[in-house]
Amino acid sequence: MTKYILTEHPLEEHLLCGIAAIDHDRILDELTDISIDHSLVQRMAETLTHHEVSIVHFREVVEDLLAQV
């Protein structure tokens, strides 16, 4: 099962949060620049994992979730 985890990357004085798709400790895909809002991106990662979103639809679902914010 693919798990989705929060990632953080330094950006000037902020941390830019993203989501990595992980399967058996291997990164399948990663979006590194979703938001600086840690809690928003954490909730998105939890939602993706909870609903067992396929890696095929990962980027599209993230776009849809961002459109709802």
Side-chain angles (χ1 to χ4, degrees), residues 31 48 53-66:
L31 293 169
L48 292 166
V53 172
S54 167
I55 187 65
V56 174
H57 302 291
F58 167 51
R59 290 174 177 260
E60 181 181 327
V61 173
V62 170
E63 284 182 31
D64 290 347
L65 290 171
L66 284 171

Side-chain angles (χ1 to χ4, degrees), residues 10-35:
L11 175 70
E12 298 173 11
E13 67 275 355
H14 299 287
L15 285 177
L16 189 55
C17 299
I19 298 174
I22 308 288
D23 189 15
H24 295 96
D25 297 326
R26 194 175 113 231
I27 297 176
L28 303 176
D29 195 1
E30 181 177 10
L31 293 169
T32 59
D33 58 350
I34 296 173
S35 176

